[in-house]
Amino acid sequence: MLDPATVFDGSGPLEDPLTDDVLRTVEAQLGRHLPTAYVDLARRHNGGSFARDAHPAPSRTSWAEDHVGVYTLAAIGRTARFSLCGEVGSAFWVAEWDYPDIGIYIADCPSAGHDMIALDYRSPGEPAVVHVDQQWNYQITILAPDFETFVTGLVDESEYDVDN
């Protein structure tokens, strides 16, 4: 089980802890079931800034040669601006920025919207976590096979040579 104390940077959550009622309504609005690890984490700390700000990537992205920057995990809810069903939630990125409708956009990157992290539901089973790079014609790069693997794979960007 993911530990909020190591996942987030110590700042407050974006929304109150997730309840069953909110989960049902958010999943209904999104038309998809969220990964158990994401739901379990939101029940204890619902969205916020990551403690570690990068994830390895298997190939070059517009951000760097070997990784992507990450910033904030969206809350599961609708009241915070950056929650899955909030003002700049998952549907916003598809409708306003023309991101591909592959699943649910769950995390932003330091590029101010020019790349995003999503749960990719195009294949059956647990959704993979992908990087979608708007600057490179919405190139999709698989970062992790599931949400928990993605979160546990986060590292400090200072570990990378950022002059890529």
Side-chain angles (χ1 to χ4, degrees):
M1 183 176 285
L2 297 170
D3 179 2
T6 61
V7 172
F8 298 106
D9 69 357
S11 60
L14 300 176
E15 290 203 22
D16 290 337
L18 181 64
T19 64
D20 290 341
D21 185 49
V22 170
L23 177 62
R24 275 191 299 277
T25 61
V26 166
E27 286 183 332
Q29 184 173 339
L30 295 171
R32 306 197 187 276
H33 289 287
L34 294 166
T36 301
Y38 189 8
V39 170
D40 289 343
L41 182 62
R43 289 188 188 285
R44 292 172 289 126
H45 189 108
N46 200 358
S49 297
F50 287 113
R52 295 175 307 258
D53 60 354
H55 195 282
S59 58
R60 175 138 186 85
T61 68
S62 64
W63 185 255
E65 185 71 33
D66 54 2
H67 70 282
V68 296
V70 296
Y71 185 61
T72 305
L73 178 65
I76 300 175
R78 60 178 31 87
T79 59
R81 188 165 192 256
F82 189 57
S83 62
L84 294 182
C85 296
E87 182 182 344
V88 290
S90 189
F92 168 85
W93 297 106
V94 174
E96 299 296 324
W97 281 63
D98 296 323
Y99 273 85
D101 190 7
I102 60 169
I104 302 170
Y105 290 87
I106 61 165
D108 62 348
C109 300
S111 67
H114 295 285
D115 56 336
M116 296 290 295
I117 306 298
L119 296 171
D120 184 352
Y121 286 83
R122 293 177 297 169
S123 297
E126 184 84 6
V129 178
V130 299
H131 174 254
V132 182
D133 202 330
Q134 183 257 355
Q135 290 186 347
W136 284 9
N137 198 31
Y138 300 99
Q139 175 181 302
I140 298 170
T141 303
I142 297 172
L143 299 177
D146 57 66
F147 179 80
E148 187 165 2
T149 303
F150 169 74
V151 173
T152 58
L154 292 170
V155 297
D156 290 323
E157 190 168 35
S158 63
E159 295 180 24
Y160 289 98
D161 173 14
V162 292
D163 292 332
N164 289 323

